[in-house]
C-alpha cells in the first residue's frame, strides 16, 4: 500500500462543488452585466429625447421628429417629447422657447427706472 503525501491536493468532491459555485457566480455576473447594458441603453435614449426636445424648443418650424422608440412634436405652444422602451415610458412637455419674450421681460425693470 502506498502512502499518501500530505498537501497533495483536494479531493474530487470539493472540485465538483467548486465547479457548481463557479457556474452560479458566472451566471450571476452575466445577468448583472445584461441588466447594466439595458439600463445604459434606456438612459441613452432618455438623454437623446431631452436633446431633441431642447433642439425642437429653439426652432420655430412645427416639424415632428420621430424614432422607432418615440417622437418630438410641437402642440399648442408646447414642445412634447414621448418615448417608450419596453414597459417603461418617458414624457417631456416644456413651453416653447421665445427669446423675444425673455428679452422683453428683462427690459421691464429698466423702463420702470430701476437698476439691476
Amino acid at each position: 500500500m502506498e502512502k499518501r503525501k500530505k498537501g497533495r491536493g483536494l479531493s474530487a468532491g470539493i472540485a465538483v462543488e467548486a465547479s457548481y459555485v463557479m457556474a452560479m457566480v458566472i451566471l450571476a455576473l452575466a445577468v448583472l452585466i445584461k441588466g447594466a447594458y439595458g439600463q445604459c441603453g434606456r438612459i441613452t435614449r432618455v438623454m437623446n429625447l431631452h436633446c431633441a426636445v431642447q433642439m425642437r424648443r429653439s426652432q420655430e418650424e412645427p416639424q415632428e421628429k420621430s424614432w422607432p422608440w418615440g417622437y418630438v412634436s410641437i402642440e399648442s405652444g408646447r414642445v412634447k417629447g414621448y418615448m417608450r422602451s419596453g414597459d417603461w415610458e418617458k414624457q417631456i412637455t416644456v413651453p416653447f422657447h421665445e427669446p423675444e419674450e425673455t428679452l422683453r421681460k428683462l427690459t421691464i425693470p429698466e423702463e420702470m427706472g430701476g437698476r439691476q
Side-chain angles (χ1 to χ4, degrees):
M1 220 196 251
E2 275 185 42
K3 261 187 157 183
R4 192 171 166 181
K5 293 182 182 177
K6 289 187 179 182
R8 182 153 188 205
L10 300 173
S11 67
I14 294 175
V16 171
E17 290 169 3
S19 68
Y20 288 137
V21 170
M22 286 303 296
M24 298 284 237
V25 168
I26 291 172
L27 179 64
L29 285 174
V31 168
L32 285 173
I33 290 170
K34 185 175 188 266
Y37 275 117
Q39 188 69 15
C40 178
R42 223 178 272 129
I43 289 171
T44 302
R45 285 191 292 272
V46 169
M47 290 174 65
N48 286 338
L49 179 66
H50 276 278
C51 180
V53 166
Q54 290 301 322
M55 287 177 65
R56 184 66 57 211
R57 185 177 181 210
S58 64
Q59 296 172 353
E60 293 187 7
E61 35 270 355
Q63 205 173 14
E64 184 174 305
K65 184 173 185 174
S66 63
W67 302 276
W69 44 266
Y71 66 89
V72 175
S73 64
I74 297 175
E75 298 173 3
S76 65
R78 299 184 71 78
V79 179
K80 180 181 177 185
Y82 175 79
M83 183 192 89
R84 183 176 181 94
S85 176
D87 61 343
W88 194 77
E89 295 179 358
K90 175 78 174 174
Q91 183 174 349
I92 303 169
T93 306
V94 293
F96 194 72
H97 179 64
E98 297 176 2
E100 301 87 14
E101 183 72 19
T102 305
L103 291 172
R104 186 183 66 75
K105 287 180 181 178
L106 286 173
T107 59
I108 289 174
E110 291 176 4
E111 291 173 359
M112 296 175 68
R115 295 184 183 178
Q116 290 184 351

